Amino acid sequence: WSSDVCSSDLFPSHDKYCVDKKYFNNDLVIWADAGGLREPIEVYQNKVWPNIEKINKLDNEQITFFSHNDNFTISDNEWHSLSQVRNIQGTSFFVPSQNINFLCESFDNTVNECISSGFIGSDEKIFDITYLKDKSKYFLVKCSWREYFDIFI
């Protein structure tokens, strides 16, 4: 494996690229994986995305992850990475623009650490490990699969 292949070339680096290029006048970047939208298209049509009132109820000073658990630990990063266990859901997250560099660097550092240790896991496993390195930078919302998409509409 190469860190060039496994690094965050698409996300969260895509969000970082948009912030760096100042494509939008934004305080917050949102990753929403289209693969997570499972409702009929009519549910999303003619809606203002995202629902700013709902998003402003979150702690928008921290990176917001949606997680199956609000308190978790990992005793063995390799085992966790190769298991079916996951906490943070990779299909959506919110990042204050001023924190995007931190998230990308932390994500990439975790990828590199895993590869140098001889293993790699999915984006969700990388987020789990990264989160545990400095929980103070993150706000976790406990929810089940795709529940968080209600915030968008």
Side-chain angles (χ1 to χ4, degrees), residues 10-56:
L10 293 178
F11 82 124
S13 286
H14 176 268
D15 291 342
K16 178 184 179 323
Y17 180 82
C18 292
V19 169
D20 289 348
K21 293 292 185 181
K22 300 184 182 344
Y23 286 144
F24 308 101
N25 180 19
N26 59 301
D27 297 324
L28 185 72
V29 290
I30 298 172
W31 178 267
D33 189 325
L37 303 174
R38 305 288 174 93
E39 303 295 328
I41 192 70
E42 293 78 25
V43 172
Y44 308 107
Q45 286 179 322
N46 301 315
K47 303 282 184 176
V48 174
W49 277 49
N51 184 319
I52 300 299
E53 289 177 14
K54 290 180 181 178
I55 288 177
N56 283 337

Side-chain angles (χ1 to χ4, degrees), residues 68-98:
H68 298 290
N69 300 295
D70 54 4
N71 187 17
F72 64 89
T73 60
I74 298 171
S75 58
D76 182 328
N77 287 347
E78 180 176 5
W79 182 91
H80 180 76
S81 293
L82 302 175
S83 75
Q84 290 299 312
V85 175
R86 63 183 54 88
N87 295 285
I88 293 172
Q89 303 172 42
T91 49
S92 185
F93 51 87
F94 304 162
V95 185
S97 295
Q98 76 267 11

